[in-house]
């Protein structure tokens, strides 16, 4: 008699860095939280035969149900062997659910997908079949369309999970809840009350050992096309009609549809970090990294100003920036409300709302008070909330959240095919201008906030918020 059910994760690229750094620790975390599905088996796949145990970093109660198979993405015979292994398991259980995790270089995606389909490993005969793909989802609009086309020949959109770990962060998920459940925010969330919005994703590290990949990608394709446009959509989208994954994803696509064509000459800034020295250590330039071309023109810093042409946001500028070797690691969204003309102060102060996504996760509101002992002097103070005050371990690991959502079949935190293609449609014109040398590349010293030219995006008295590691310490000088 067959057993009831079994869950399998088949990891392509099981010997790779991503699996070791992210996937295995996340599976351990899910196990420790007692959320791991019953009867879980893991089949790790790699290009070569190996000696030794690649599952040694997994909890022993997980690793005892793991095995390794040599599966080269382009070797049809290897996929026949994989198919036989799956059939063996299906002969034991009435219900077999399988997740294919493509933890490989993007060049392996198409051959893996084609071989899965040709061996009927996509068929949901006695259980679900779902496929997880890591970014980048293509390198431009044409390649993203090709990837989506191949996927659609064997998988429904509900089976496809394009993973972006940013969307698994608790603080990112909280953006929509904070917006739509708090009347004091929701009622003011439009062009009549908001002056401009900043989205910053800064990293203090360099490119580490990713030189060969990064030099072909750069900050625009590595961060702006996915993470930052996703954050933009969460900030700018309309309230979904219903609380479903498709309704939310529809509204995100609507935002991308309404983004005005970016002025690549005046509203885009690119930079590349140069060697520098702080009081603590020396930093080499981007071009000194292994795998980087000596005359590389790849940007490690990107900033732009864009507009969303709809009733809610018409003519409200959104300023977006991201970069490597900046003063601190921080991801945050800054909502700058319009200045308030009043009889109590000639300075017409404004209010600011900050969503801190990492680190020191939380929210901060800047508001105005009368300075004690002074009838007409106004001071700005902070009203703050920190997630850490809710207790320990309230911020879940993003990968744990997303992997569990794949088991549940919940697609809300994953990118849909039309979103990916719309995002590339925004990025491609910028890339073409870069290829034709129409957008300058500025140098900036490692440890600074990017090229000085970045401040020119505002073209008025406004400027970027310069955050430090701690949520409330804005405006301070951070040193690497």
């Amino acid at each position: 008699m067959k057993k009831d059910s079994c869950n399998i994760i088949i990891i392509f690229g099981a010997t790779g860095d991503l699996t070791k750094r992210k996937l295995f620790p996340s599976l351990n975390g899910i196990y420790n939280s007692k959320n791991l599905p019953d009867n879980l088996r893991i089949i790790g796949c790699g290009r070569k035969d190996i000696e030794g145990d690649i599952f040694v970093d997994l909890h022993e109660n997980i690793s005892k149900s793991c095995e390794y198979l040599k599966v080269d993405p382009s070797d049809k015979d290897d996929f026949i062997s994989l198919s036989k292994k799956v059939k063996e398991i299906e002969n034991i259980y009435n219900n077999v659910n399988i997740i294919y995790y493509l933890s490989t270089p993007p060049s392996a995606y198409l051959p893996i997908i084609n071989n899965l389909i040709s061996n009927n490993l996509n068929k949901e005969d006695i259980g679900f079949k779902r496929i997880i793909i890591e970014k980048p989802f293509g390198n431009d609009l044409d390649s993203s369309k090709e990837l989506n086309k191949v996927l659609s020949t064997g998988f429904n959109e509900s089976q496809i999970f394009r993973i972006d770990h940013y969307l698994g962060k608790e603080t990112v998920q909280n953006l929509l809840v904070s917006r739509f459940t708090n009347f004091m925010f929701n009622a003011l969330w439009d062009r009549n009350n908001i002056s401009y919005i900043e989205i910053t994703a800064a990293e203090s590290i360099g490119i580490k050992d990713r030189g060969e990949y990064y030099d072909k990608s750069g900050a625009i394709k590595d961060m702006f096309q996915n993470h930052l446009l996703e954050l933009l959509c969460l900030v700018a989208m309309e309230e979904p009609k219903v609380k479903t994954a498709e309704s939310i994803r529809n509204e995100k696509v609507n935002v991308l549809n309404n983004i005005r064509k970016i002025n690549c000459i005046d509203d885009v800034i690119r930079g590349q970090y140069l060697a520098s020295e702080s009081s603590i250590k020396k930093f080499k330039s981007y071009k000194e990294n292994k795998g980087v071309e000596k005359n590389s023109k790849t940007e490690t810093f990107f900033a732009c100003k864009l507009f969303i042409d709809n009733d809610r946001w018409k003519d409200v500028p959104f300023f977006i920036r991201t970069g490597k070797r900046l003063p601190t690691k921080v991801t945050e969204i800054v909502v700058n409300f319009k200045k308030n003309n009043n009889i109590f102060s000639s300075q017409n102060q404004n209010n600011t709302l900050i969503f801190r996504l990492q680190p020191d996760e939380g929210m901060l509101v800047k508001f105005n008070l009368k300075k004690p002992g002074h009838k007409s002097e106004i001071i700005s103070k902070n009203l703050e909330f920190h997630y850490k005050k809710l207790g320990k371990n309230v911020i879940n690991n993003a990968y744990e959240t997303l992997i569990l959502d794949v088991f549940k079949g919940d697609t809300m935190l994953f990118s849909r095919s039309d979103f990916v293609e719309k995002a590339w449609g925004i990025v491609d014109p910028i890339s073409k201008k870069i290829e034709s040398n129409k957008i300058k590349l500025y140098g900036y010293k490692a440890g600074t906030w990017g090229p000085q030219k970045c401040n020119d995006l505002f073209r008025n008295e406004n400027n970027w918020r310069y955050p430090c590691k701690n949520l409330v310490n804005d405006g301070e000088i951070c040193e690497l």
Side-chain angles (χ1 to χ4, degrees):
M1 180 180 291
K2 285 188 174 183
K3 298 179 182 179
D4 186 22
S5 65
C6 174
N7 294 284
I8 307 174
I9 301 178
I10 298 178
I11 304 171
F12 296 96
T15 60
D17 180 62
L18 178 64
T19 300
K20 185 175 182 179
R21 285 189 303 106
K22 297 293 185 181
L23 190 48
F24 282 176
S26 297
L27 290 171
N28 286 334
I30 295 171
Y31 174 82
N32 291 332
S33 65
K34 297 180 172 56
N35 288 316
L36 202 67
D38 294 333
N39 295 326
L40 178 70
R41 294 187 177 207
I42 296 175
I43 301 175
C45 302
R47 291 177 180 271
K48 301 177 181 178
D49 291 312
I50 62 168
E51 296 180 1
D53 182 8
I54 68 164
F55 305 106
V56 67
D57 292 328
L58 284 171
H59 191 283
E60 60 181 359
N61 287 342
I62 304 176
S63 62
K64 67 183 181 182
S65 299
C66 297
E67 60 182 305
Y68 178 83
L69 279 182
K70 174 192 168 294
V71 181
D72 186 293
S74 300
D75 192 322
K76 295 181 180 180
D77 291 337
D78 285 352
F79 277 85
I80 292 173
S81 299
L82 177 61
S83 181
K84 288 179 180 178
K85 173 59 65 176
V86 171
K87 286 288 190 293
E88 289 176 11
I89 300 173
E90 289 179 339
N91 289 333
I92 302 173
Y93 295 90
N94 290 316
N95 186 80
V96 177
N97 301 315
I98 301 179
I99 293 173
Y100 303 107
Y101 200 120
L102 274 59
S103 180
T104 64
S107 58
Y109 291 172
L110 293 181
I112 291 174
I113 296 164
N114 281 321
N115 277 310
L116 288 174
I117 295 170
S118 64
N119 285 277
N120 294 317
L121 290 167
N122 59 319
K123 301 294 184 182
E124 298 188 302
D125 297 325
I126 61 169
F128 66 68
K129 303 288 196 306
R130 294 168 184 159
I131 185 167
I132 300 176
I133 302 175
E134 287 274 352
K135 77 173 187 74
F137 315 121
N139 190 54
D140 53 24
L141 180 57
D142 288 341
S143 59
S144 70
K145 284 183 175 180
E146 182 184 9
L147 177 59
N148 287 334
K149 183 179 179 180
V150 172
L151 280 166
S152 66
T153 61
F155 294 91
N156 299 320
E157 189 66 38
S158 61
Q159 295 175 271
I160 304 168
F161 293 77
R162 300 171 187 84
I163 194 168
D164 181 343
H165 73 277
Y166 257 56
L167 298 185
K169 294 180 182 294
E170 185 71 32
T171 47
V172 175
Q173 297 175 59
N174 189 52
L175 279 172
L176 295 184
V177 175
S178 296
R179 275 190 58 191
F180 295 120
T181 65
N182 293 291
F183 185 78
M184 61 181 177
F185 297 154
N186 200 21
L188 301 175
W189 212 262
D190 58 33
R191 61 192 174 98
N192 296 318
N193 301 289
I194 292 175
S195 175
Y196 63 100
I197 293 176
E198 305 165 55
I199 302 176
T200 293
E203 294 181 279
S204 58
I205 61 172
I207 60 169
K208 293 188 174 180
D209 55 355
R210 300 170 68 218
E212 190 172 344
Y213 160 76
Y214 196 90
D215 207 38
K216 297 175 183 176
S217 172
I220 299 173
K221 294 181 179 180
D222 188 51
M223 290 292 291
F224 176 68
Q225 187 274 337
N226 39 75
H227 300 327
L228 293 173
L229 286 179
E230 287 276 10
L231 293 181
L232 171 69
C233 289
L234 294 175
V235 172
M237 63 186 269
E238 297 297 316
E239 184 170 3
K241 294 179 176 59
V242 291
K243 188 186 174 183
T244 64
E246 289 312 295
S247 183
I248 291 172
R249 300 207 291 184
N250 287 342
E251 293 301 338
K252 287 161 66 176
V253 170
N254 287 339
V255 173
L256 297 186
N257 285 334
N258 286 306
I259 291 180
R260 187 188 305 173
K261 185 178 179 180
I262 297 175
N263 183 336
C264 294
I265 305 302
D266 297 327
D267 294 339
V268 169
I269 301 294
R270 298 169 65 235
Q272 186 184 97
Y273 67 82
L274 308 174
S276 70
E277 184 175 355
S278 73
S279 60
I280 304 170
K281 63 181 292 188
K282 292 182 179 180
F283 300 96
K284 61 184 179 182
S285 70
Y286 169 73
K287 292 178 183 178
E288 293 177 83
N289 284 278
K290 183 179 178 181
V292 175
E293 294 287 339
K294 296 304 178 185
N295 60 346
S296 174
K297 297 295 183 182
T298 298
E299 76 283 339
T300 59
F301 178 94
F302 171 78
C304 73
K305 176 168 67 174
L306 58 80
F307 297 89
I308 300 170
D309 285 333
N310 60 18
D311 290 340
R312 182 184 293 271
W313 297 113
K314 186 172 176 59
D315 295 331
V316 174
F318 289 77
F319 297 92
I320 299 175
R321 65 177 170 174
T322 183
K324 299 283 189 182
R325 280 284 183 237
L326 301 184
T328 189
K329 176 181 179 179
V330 60
T331 303
E332 67 177 22
I333 295 162
V334 183
V335 181
N336 295 276
F337 292 92
K338 289 187 174 181
K339 291 185 176 181
N340 180 26
N341 297 321
N342 63 89
I343 62 172
F344 295 100
S345 172
S346 59
Q347 297 175 359
N348 299 328
Q349 287 87 352
N350 68 316
N351 300 116
T352 305
L353 169 63
I354 300 164
F355 294 94
R356 171 61 69 87
L357 307 183
Q358 66 173 6
D360 194 15
E361 295 86 352
M363 294 170 60
L364 182 146
V365 177
K366 289 184 172 292
F367 65 103
N368 302 311
L369 292 172
K370 184 184 80 70
K371 186 175 182 179
H374 299 262
K375 292 183 178 179
S376 59
E377 190 169 344
I378 305 297
I379 56 175
S380 177
K381 288 296 178 182
N382 296 330
L383 184 64
E384 62 200 82
F385 157 73
H386 301 262
Y387 272 90
K388 60 189 176 186
K389 292 185 178 179
L390 295 178
K392 294 182 179 179
N393 301 320
V394 295
I395 302 297
N396 295 330
N397 177 283
Y399 269 93
E400 292 177 30
T401 298
L402 295 171
I403 291 169
L404 284 173
D405 278 356
V406 177
F407 275 108
K408 298 172 186 174
D410 186 349
T411 58
M412 186 178 76
L413 300 178
F414 298 84
S415 300
R416 203 167 62 188
S417 60
D418 53 347
F419 181 96
V420 173
E421 292 180 13
K422 290 290 182 183
W424 278 118
I426 293 167
V427 167
D428 270 10
I430 303 174
S431 298
K432 289 176 181 177
K433 291 288 186 183
I434 293 172
E435 290 169 4
S436 60
N437 295 316
K438 297 289 179 64
I439 303 178
K440 294 180 180 180
L441 181 69
Y442 298 94
Y444 65 96
K445 288 186 176 182
T448 64
W449 278 104
Q452 286 291 324
K453 194 77 176 173
C454 187
N455 296 330
D456 294 348
L457 289 175
F458 289 85
R459 292 192 279 278
N460 56 27
E461 73 278 7
N462 297 324
N463 208 336
W464 299 95
R465 167 178 141 94
Y466 290 100
C468 270
K469 182 177 180 180
N470 296 321
L471 175 59
V472 297
N473 293 345
D474 59 307
E476 294 183 3
I477 296 174
C478 304
E479 185 174 83
L480 284 171

